[in-house]
Amino acid sequence: MQELPTLASFKMVLLWQNTKNMMNFMTLITFLLFIMPSISYSQYLGNNILLTNRKIFPKQEPISSYAVVFDAGSTGSRVHVYHFDQNLNLLHVGKDVEFYNKTTPGLSAYADNPKEAAESLIPLLEQAERVVPVNLQPKTPVKLGATAGLRLLDGNSSELILEAVSSLLKKRSTFNVQSDAVGIIDGTQEGSYLWVTINYVLGNLGKDFSETVAVADLGGGSVQMVYAVSREQAKKAPQVPQGEDPYIKKIVLKGKKYYLYVHSYLRFGKEASRAEILKVTNGSPNPCILAGYHGTYTYSGEEYKAFSPASGSNFDECKEIILKALKVNDPCPYGKCSFGGIWNGGGGSGQKTLYVTSSFYYVPTGVNIADPNKPNSKIRIEDLKTGAEQVCKTKYKDAKATYPLIYEDSLPYACLDLIYQYTLFVDGFGLDPLQEITVANQIEYQDALVDAAWPLGNAIEAISSLPKFDPFMYYFI
């Protein structure tokens, strides 16, 4: 006959079971405590320590990254330093959300002295190094993009300058200098980076292409027009001759694919266009020049006679000359062209809202068409014509007192520059004179201002390629 378990034996079984459960529980706790520090370190950076009453943990500081971008333009060199969090949102650099400074002249002014060209960047480089924390500098990408100024140099001058700059950065810089860090960015890159900048700051990235804005940039040597089109419209883009930039640029931003129509018109920036316009009159009086001026205009090593007829400048006569310089009547093999036989992208909802930058901002603000005290203003294209008609009546000797915001060397061309912009928009790009546009030097972002320029777009590309960021959210095809 089997004996019944005693009370004591029941107590022993319960004690053993509780002990086993406690051991399993303690094993679990030990395992969790073991892995927690590694989780903290993998998600956060920094050496600061947070002391609790039970355990010492690393102080949780969000991951952040810096990027340094040099804009080597035709009239000067500029440095931009950006600070991003792990979601590619801009963080403050001091009281602003970017550090910016510039120096003149541009690299192209040192065509005969590449070493001196590179050394002209040292003050800007040193300033950037003071902004980026020392421990993050080796991981901070640095980029230098040369634009139209170097594109227009003869021979191998631009190559020698870029080699000298690359050598300087590798020897002198504490930043991360990749093999492709220094180079001439083509018009397609410059335009698409600017489009990214403007739409990033406005919070449009990740939205449908119809909710983005178009951008146009008037630099010294070239002008760009960029806007997003539908996939169907992108398929209609004509093929370009070998060696030329394609009309469509594909990029993915916040996981959304965009098809950008982008074209850069070399020799039609503000300074370059003056030369093209003076070529038309070829040493004869030019009705785009203010009355009373008689001199020469120098661009890219070439001199052009610049003087007005006895009757002074004239809007209609000047516009006819500009139309010839733009070659608006060149054959258009694609059905819809801008000027010079260039496909215009077909227009559409991606172009309905237009932001214009660089000299598209400086010229109107210089004659008070747009408010010079605001970082951006809305005007109508027609306002450029109204302002030009007034400016063109001014005699050169009175121009400085009348328009004190215009640089002295630009005064003779105040009439020309305004008529050129109006003609470029209406006859070149085919826009309605009554269309409202935003002329922008800077754009509001959170509680600060961001430059309306291509370097931020370049910085986003550089940062998004780092291993810590999701490669499917941002990439440039």
Side-chain angles (χ1 to χ4, degrees), residues 66-102:
Y66 286 83
V68 177
V69 180
F70 287 90
D71 172 5
S74 57
T75 59
S77 297
R78 307 158 188 89
V79 66
H80 299 256
V81 182
Y82 303 101
H83 188 196
F84 298 91
D85 68 13
Q86 63 268 38
N87 297 315
L88 271 180
N89 297 311
L90 277 176
L91 299 173
H92 276 253
V93 179
K95 66 178 181 178
D96 299 310
V97 289
E98 71 173 321
F99 171 82
Y100 166 83
N101 210 345
K102 64 180 179 180

Side-chain angles (χ1 to χ4, degrees), residues 71-78 102-109 147-150 219-221 270-272 297 299 359 362 409:
D71 172 5
S74 57
T75 59
S77 297
R78 307 158 188 89
K102 64 180 179 180
T103 185
T104 55
L107 297 181
S108 56
T147 55
L150 284 193
K270 187 183 78 168
E271 279 72 27
Y297 178 71
Y299 182 76
S359 288
Y362 295 118
D409 59 357

Side-chain angles (χ1 to χ4, degrees), residues 76-372:
S77 297
R78 307 158 188 89
V79 66
H80 299 256
V81 182
Y82 303 101
H83 188 196
F84 298 91
D85 68 13
Q86 63 268 38
N87 297 315
L88 271 180
N89 297 311
L90 277 176
L91 299 173
H92 276 253
V93 179
K95 66 178 181 178
D96 299 310
V97 289
E98 71 173 321
F99 171 82
Y100 166 83
N101 210 345
K102 64 180 179 180
T103 185
T104 55
L107 297 181
S108 56
Y110 304 94
D112 299 324
N113 196 332
K115 184 173 181 289
E116 190 175 348
E119 290 175 347
S120 71
L121 300 175
I122 289 177
L124 299 180
L125 179 62
E126 291 176 341
Q127 291 164 18
E129 288 172 340
R130 288 194 289 271
V131 172
V132 180
V134 174
N135 64 311
L136 295 182
Q137 289 179 10
K139 298 179 181 180
T140 297
V142 60
K143 296 276 188 178
L144 181 138
T147 55
L150 284 193
R151 290 182 213 145
L152 293 171
L153 289 183
D154 295 328
N156 65 344
S157 295
S158 60
E159 294 176 12
L160 294 176
I161 289 174
L162 293 175
E163 287 175 5
V165 170
S166 180
S167 177
L168 173 81
L169 290 179
K170 289 175 180 177
K171 293 178 181 178
R172 170 70 180 73
S173 172
T174 55
F175 297 126
N176 185 349
V177 184
Q178 297 293 319
S179 58
D180 62 347
V182 176
I184 293 177
I185 66 170
D186 59 40
T188 300
Q189 290 174 304
E190 186 177 353
S192 60
Y193 287 149
L194 176 64
W195 185 91
V196 172
T197 294
I198 302 297
N199 283 281
Y200 171 96
V201 174
L202 294 175
N204 294 336
L205 300 185
K207 298 179 181 178
D208 187 77
F209 83 94
S210 61
E211 298 182 68
T212 62
V213 303
V215 300
D217 180 69
L218 184 65
S222 61
V223 59
Q224 287 85 37
M225 170 63 77
V226 193
Y227 60 94
V229 299
S230 67
R231 182 180 180 183
E232 292 71 26
Q233 188 72 5
K235 289 179 180 178
K236 299 177 183 178
Q239 295 295 315
V240 298
Q242 188 173 1
E244 293 187 13
D245 296 336
Y247 284 114
I248 298 296
K249 177 80 171 176
K250 300 176 187 177
I251 57 178
V252 174
L253 301 161
K254 286 197 171 181
K256 179 80 173 178
K257 181 180 283 189
Y258 293 99
Y259 300 87
L260 300 186
Y261 165 79
V262 51
H263 191 78
S264 179
Y265 301 80
L266 193 59
R267 299 187 185 279
F268 287 98
K270 187 183 78 168
E271 279 72 27
S273 67
R274 293 173 183 170
E276 297 300 314
I277 292 165
L278 291 170
K279 283 179 186 178
V280 175
T281 47
N282 192 27
S284 300
N286 190 301
C288 300
I289 306 300
L290 288 188
Y293 180 78
H294 197 293
T296 58
Y297 178 71
T298 302
Y299 182 76
S300 193
E302 297 288 331
E303 285 192 351
Y304 307 90
K305 290 183 179 180
F307 60 100
S308 66
S311 56
S313 49
N314 179 279
F315 182 94
D316 292 327
E317 293 176 8
C318 176
K319 183 180 177 183
E320 286 302 313
I321 290 173
I322 292 173
L323 289 172
K324 292 179 182 178
L326 288 174
K327 301 176 182 176
V328 295
N329 293 321
D330 272 16
C332 176
Y334 312 122
K336 292 184 177 181
C337 287
S338 51
F339 57 96
I342 302 299
W343 184 56
N344 71 356
S349 55
Q351 198 183 24
K352 68 180 183 295
T353 303
L354 179 62
Y355 276 65
V356 299
T357 63
S358 298
S359 288
F360 282 137
Y361 170 85
Y362 295 118
V363 170
T365 55
V367 295
N368 294 306
I369 293 174
D371 190 341

